[in-house]
């Protein structure tokens, strides 16, 4: 049973969650591409090049968890868990 759900606050939280997910994904994508471009432009080979490649892959791989967490966050917002917590 839902009580005292603040629809305006929920909408604001949803908007902020979406904004945060887009910002984080864009930043990870941008930095991953930048690392690969720098690696290619300066022709960095050996251990340094390998570490740069690994860093770029980690950046790209971090994008999927952001969207999984967004889905979880939206469910929490929809469930009114934060609204219930404000009652205490």
């Amino acid at each position: 049973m839902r009580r005292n759900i603040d629809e305006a606050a929920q909408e604001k939280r949803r908007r902020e969650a979406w904004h945060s997910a887009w910002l984080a994904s864009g930043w990870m994508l941008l930095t991953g591409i930048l690392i690969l471009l720098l690696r290619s432009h300066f022709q960095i080979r050996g251990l340094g090049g390998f570490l740069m490649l690994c860093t770029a892959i980690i950046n790209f791989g971090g994008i999927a968890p952001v969207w999984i967490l967004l889905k979880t966050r939206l469910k929490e917002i929809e469930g009114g868990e934060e609204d219930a917590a404000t009652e205490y």
Side-chain angles (χ1 to χ4, degrees):
M1 178 172 85
R2 292 186 184 184
R3 297 179 308 163
N4 300 331
I5 294 178
D6 186 352
E7 294 292 331
Q10 277 190 344
E11 181 58 33
K12 182 181 177 195
R13 286 188 208 110
R14 277 192 292 272
R15 232 183 2 261
E16 289 172 351
W18 276 100
H19 181 260
S20 178
W22 279 109
L23 186 65
S25 296
W27 186 251
M28 287 183 202
L29 184 64
L30 180 70
T31 56
I33 290 170
L34 182 62
I35 290 169
L36 291 178
L37 287 174
L38 289 172
R39 179 179 182 261
S40 174
H41 178 72
F42 292 107
Q43 298 179 355
I44 300 173
R45 304 286 179 244
L47 180 61
F50 176 73
L51 291 175
M52 288 179 82
L53 180 63
C54 289
T55 303
I57 290 171
I58 290 169
N59 271 316
F60 296 139
I63 294 172
V66 167
W67 293 95
I68 293 168
L69 290 172
L70 172 66
K71 184 178 177 182
T72 304
R73 176 84 173 110
L74 292 174
K75 284 182 183 177
E76 288 174 357
I77 293 169
E78 188 64 32
E81 294 175 15
E82 287 183 23
D83 292 323
T86 60
E87 293 178 8
Y88 295 104

